[in-house]
Amino acid sequence: RIDAAYDRPNPFGSAILFSLPSTKNNSDLKPEQTKSKEIGLEMAFFKNRLGFDISYYNTNTVDQIFNVATSTSTGYSSKFVNAGEVSNKGIELSINGTPVKTANFSWNINVNFSNNKSKVVSLYEDSKNLQLASFQGGISVNASLGQPYGTIQGKTFQMIGDDGKAVAWDGSKPKLITADGYYGVTTATSNVIGNINPDWIGGVYNTFRYKNLSLGFLVDVRQGGDVFSLDMFYASYTGVLPQYAGLNDLGKPVRNDLADGGGRILDGVTIDGKPNTKRVTIDANSPTPPQKNYV
C-alpha cells in the first residue's frame, strides 16, 4: 500500500501506543525497467558430441527503487524513490562435450563461465553515493557513482601524495608511517576498500549414465569478491592476531617492552619519503589498523 498506516508497538504499561512508520511511501514510483542488448553464437560438432554457446550482453537498469535517507524534520527518516541507473555488461560461455558414449554408458561434461562488470551510472538527484547497508566496525556497502554496484567503504591507510601531503592509500605507493611509528589512517570512512562482486563465476557439471541409471555432480567456483572480517577486526583489539606475538627481527618477543628489545618496525615510509626505522610496541593498546586491513 502507498498510504501511511500506523504501527502498533508493544503497550507501555496499560497504555496502547500507535506511531507512524519511519519510512515514507511514494505514490509516484515508476516500475524499474531494464534495457538489454545481447549477441551470441552457438555451435555443435561431431554429431553434437562437442559444442559451445557464447554470448555478450549489455544491460541498463533505470528507475531502480531505493529506500534513501531523508531529514527527520519531514516526520520520516527515509523514503522510497526511483534512484539512478546501473549498467551491467559481460560474457557468458558454456562448453558441452561427451567424451565417452556407448550403448550402455555415456559421460557428459558441461563447463560454464560468466564474467560481469557493473557500474553505477547515475543516482538520486545530485547524490554521489547511496548507502545500501551498514555493519559493525564502521563498514558500509554502497552504490557509488562511477563505481561497481556494491562497493565496500571504510577507513584505509594513507600514503604520500604527489603534493607531498598524506592522502588515501591506493596501493601504488608505500604506506605512510606517522611520527608515532604507526600507520597513517584516513579520518573519512567513505574510501572504497573492496567490492562484493566476484571477478568471475564458473562451474563443471559431470553426468554419468549407465543403462537407465544416471548420476551427476557439480563443481561450482566463485572467484574473487571481497569480504570484511569482523572477527579479525575485533581480534586486533584483544591482541590475539599473529602480529601481536612471535619474534621480531631482533629475535626478541614482540610483546616485550621496547627497552627489552620488543616491538616491531612497521613497513612503510615517513612523510619525508624515507624508510621507517622507528620501532613500536605491538599489543592490544596499539592503534588499530583501518578497516582496509581486514578486507
Side-chain angles (χ1 to χ4, degrees):
R1 56 180 296 140
I2 60 176
D3 296 330
Y6 282 97
D7 296 325
R8 183 181 176 180
N10 294 328
F12 181 76
S14 60
I16 299 177
L17 304 177
F18 290 92
S19 65
L20 280 172
S22 59
T23 301
K24 180 175 176 56
N25 294 326
N26 187 349
S27 60
D28 297 323
L29 284 178
K30 295 181 289 185
E32 296 182 4
Q33 296 187 23
T34 298
K35 302 176 182 178
S36 179
K37 299 177 182 178
E38 184 173 346
I39 184 173
L41 176 64
E42 181 178 0
M43 300 188 72
F45 310 92
F46 310 115
K47 296 181 179 181
N48 292 324
R49 293 279 297 270
L50 178 65
F52 71 86
D53 183 357
I54 185 171
S55 62
Y56 171 81
Y57 63 88
N58 188 342
T59 65
N60 280 71
T61 303
V62 297
D63 292 330
Q64 295 192 92
I65 299 175
F66 288 112
N67 186 8
V68 301
T70 186
S71 172
T72 53
S73 63
T74 62
Y76 301 90
S77 59
S78 62
K79 63 180 180 179
F80 287 107
V81 297
N82 291 112
E85 176 182 353
V86 176
S87 72
N88 285 276
K89 60 182 65 177
I91 61 171
E92 295 178 340
L93 172 64
S94 176
I95 302 174
N96 59 83
T98 307
V100 179
K101 185 176 183 181
T102 66
N104 295 323
F105 178 79
S106 66
W107 171 26
N108 295 316
I109 302 177
N110 183 274
V111 179
N112 62 80
F113 170 88
S114 65
N115 170 267
N116 179 75
K117 300 297 182 184
S118 68
K119 182 179 180 181
V120 179
V121 179
S122 64
L123 289 172
Y124 178 64
E125 295 180 345
D126 296 328
S127 300
K128 298 293 188 294
N129 185 80
L130 178 62
Q131 187 177 103
L132 304 176
S134 60
F135 305 95
Q136 296 182 54
I139 286 294
S140 62
V141 176
N142 304 263
S144 298
L145 196 63
Q147 295 284 344
Y149 183 87
T151 55
I152 303 174
Q153 294 185 10
K155 292 183 179 181
T156 188
F157 298 97
Q158 290 180 320
M159 66 180 188
I160 304 173
D162 295 334
D163 59 357
K165 298 181 180 179
V167 297
W169 183 68
D170 62 6
S172 64
K173 297 180 179 180
K175 297 170 185 174
L176 175 66
I177 304 297
T178 57
D180 59 4
Y182 295 98
Y183 289 116
V185 178
T186 61
T187 56
T189 60
S190 57
N191 305 282
V192 176
I193 60 176
N195 181 3
I196 65 174
N197 301 291
D199 298 328
W200 56 268
I201 298 174
V204 179
Y205 186 74
N206 287 269
T207 304
F208 298 93
R209 181 192 61 82
Y210 177 72
K211 293 185 177 181
N212 294 325
L213 177 65
S214 180
L215 299 174
F217 68 92
L218 172 68
V219 178
D220 195 32
V221 179
R222 179 186 173 99
Q223 175 64 36
D226 295 312
V227 175
F228 174 74
S229 175
L230 190 62
D231 290 341
M232 296 290 288
F233 181 78
Y234 280 125
S236 67
Y237 283 104
T238 58
V240 300
L241 296 180
Q243 59 261 39
Y244 298 116
L247 304 179
N248 58 21
D249 58 307
L250 299 177
K252 301 290 185 179
V254 171
R255 293 183 178 182
N256 280 3
D257 292 334
L258 294 180
D260 297 326
R264 178 172 294 166
I265 299 175
L266 298 180
D267 186 28
V269 297
T270 57
I271 192 64
D272 57 5
K274 296 180 180 179
N276 177 45
T277 58
K278 187 169 185 177
R279 190 177 301 276
V280 293
T281 54
I282 303 294
D283 54 32
N285 297 318
S286 303
T288 303
Q291 291 93 335
K292 173 62 179 176
N293 202 49
Y294 310 104
V295 172

